[in-house]
Amino acid sequence: MTTKSYQRKPDWLKIKLSAGEEYTELKRLMRSQSLHTVCEEARCPNLHECWANRTATFMILGSVCTRACRFCAVNTGLPTELDLEEPERVAEAAAGMGLRHCVVTSVARDDLKDGGAAVFAATIQALRTRLPLCNIEVLIPDFMGNAQSLYTVLDAKPHILNHNLETVERLSDRVRSKAKYARSLELLGRSKEYNPAVPTKSSLMVGVGEEWAELLQAMDDLRGQDVNILTIGQYLQPSARHLTVARYYSPEEFAELKREGLGRGFRHVESGPLVRSSYHAHVQADAVLEGRQGETL
């Protein structure tokens, strides 16, 4: 099998890396607590910028995922045992950083009956205890459609519940391992039915072969589940074994996608080449939790 070569990245995707004092301190803090971040594991292009601003997305339930999505750089394999002290270490690190908005995500743990929902809940509770004024956002897997797992997370009272749709319906099975387009929409809708007060959020990546009309349909599908926040970013191929980039979208196209999203009623749309689900998450939270219409690209 011949592997396609990388496409040349356009100028607007060039990143200026900076390993300043804040970045170095945050990295030391993460290592001292034996914590994982999706920033590192998924090779996020905004890692240096976010860490320099003392924001990070904690990744719980280990660093090995039971799924092998074709866009994701996180390691796949047999997961390690659960670390029941992890929630307290996350809360301690978040307190040390003085966070006012904390994002918690995880690898998929299909080996666990609840998909790791109990650890999500414990992490939320630990954060609430240590940082009562901090907004807590969780980016959860689909829990294989287990409604009780979703309710376990919601009962812990996160401020925002995030689950990524990732791509359009036609490409979902090709791009995502085990996840189902309809199941993701069902989870987001079920969250609103169970607790309408918790804003919901989702993300789409572009450049994996979708058509423009399909992106608009995905937006409509998300709004059909009353999703409040949408993030849209460019897919970047992590390695030669991952999906190749079908094309790069221009900044003007991202601006148009933002207009389309806001026109459909999303309370906030973050759209840009380097946007990822947790990029400017505190800005998104402020826009929705304070009831304001977001306007920041």
Side-chain angles (χ1 to χ4, degrees):
M1 178 177 177
T2 302
T3 302
K4 294 181 181 179
S5 60
Y6 290 98
Q7 287 195 44
R8 182 184 179 89
K9 291 181 182 178
D11 290 342
W12 57 80
L13 283 171
K14 292 180 180 178
I15 307 164
K16 183 179 180 181
L17 301 181
S18 174
E21 183 178 339
E22 297 286 354
Y23 169 85
T24 303
E25 182 183 349
L26 183 51
K27 188 168 185 175
R28 178 198 58 76
L29 178 61
M30 293 296 180
R31 295 296 171 273
S32 69
Q33 295 293 338
S34 299
L35 295 173
H36 302 284
T37 68
V38 76
C39 321
E40 294 175 288
E41 303 295 337
R43 304 176 193 174
C44 178
N46 304 305
L47 185 152
H48 286 76
E49 177 188 349
C50 292
W51 282 29
N53 290 317
R54 302 184 71 80
T55 63
T57 300
F58 297 98
M59 189 170 77
I60 61 174
L61 299 171
S63 60
V64 180
C65 187
T66 55
R67 302 186 185 184
C69 296
R70 297 191 64 201
F71 66 91
C72 183
V74 173
N75 291 329
T76 301
L78 296 175
T80 57
E81 293 183 2
L82 284 180
D83 179 357
L84 299 181
E85 296 180 357
E86 187 176 46
E88 291 297 334
R89 293 204 311 277
V90 169
E92 184 175 346
M97 294 166 62
L99 297 184
R100 67 182 185 89
H101 186 94
C102 182
V103 183
V104 179
T105 189
S106 77
V107 293
R109 289 296 301 262
D110 297 328
D111 58 311
L112 302 175
K113 185 177 180 180
D114 72 346
V119 179
F120 263 105
T123 304
I124 295 168
Q125 291 161 357
L127 285 164
R128 279 188 168 276
T129 299
R130 292 292 297 270
L131 289 168
L133 299 181
C134 179
N135 289 330
I136 303 166
E137 175 180 331
V138 290
L139 170 54
I140 61 172
D142 61 15
F143 297 130
M144 295 298 287
N146 186 328
Q148 187 54 55
S149 293
L150 170 64
Y151 302 154
T152 295
V153 175
L154 288 170
D155 285 344
K157 299 182 179 179
H159 294 89
I160 294 177
L161 185 128
N162 185 356
H163 173 70
N164 288 340
L165 192 60
E166 303 292 8
T167 189
V168 301
E169 184 173 16
R170 176 176 59 87
L171 298 175
S172 186
D173 289 346
R174 176 171 178 253
V175 172
R176 307 162 78 204
S177 171
K178 298 184 183 178
K180 299 296 180 184
Y181 188 88
R183 183 194 292 158
S184 290
L185 291 174
E186 181 182 51
L187 179 149
L188 290 162
R190 188 175 276 160
S191 176
K192 274 300 176 66
E193 290 174 1
Y194 189 74
N195 190 341
V198 177
T200 50
K201 172 178 170 181
S202 195
S203 180
L204 293 168
M205 59 183 173
V206 299
V208 294
E210 70 289 329
E211 299 293 335
W212 188 269
E214 292 177 309
L215 286 172
L216 301 186
Q217 182 60 56
M219 290 186 192
D220 290 338
D221 292 341
L222 289 168
R223 283 299 301 137
Q225 303 302 326
D226 198 23
V227 172
N228 306 107
I229 303 171
L230 175 65
T231 62
I232 308 170
Q234 173 70 52
Y235 167 64
L236 299 175
Q237 185 179 357
S239 75
R241 67 181 175 83
H242 289 87
L243 286 171
T244 55
V245 177
R247 80 176 184 91
Y248 292 108
Y249 283 58
S250 69
E252 292 75 21
E253 289 175 301
F254 279 106
E256 179 59 27
L257 286 170
K258 175 171 182 165
R259 286 190 287 271
E260 291 283 359
L262 290 174
R264 282 166 165 74
F266 288 103
R267 295 269 296 279
H268 186 96
V269 179
E270 194 88 20
S271 178
L274 295 176
V275 166
R276 295 297 180 265
S277 184
S278 300
Y279 186 58
H280 290 169
H282 63 291
V283 176
Q284 301 164 26
D286 288 346
V288 173
L289 295 174
E290 295 176 14
R292 296 184 284 105
Q293 183 85 357
E295 293 297 336
T296 304
L297 275 173

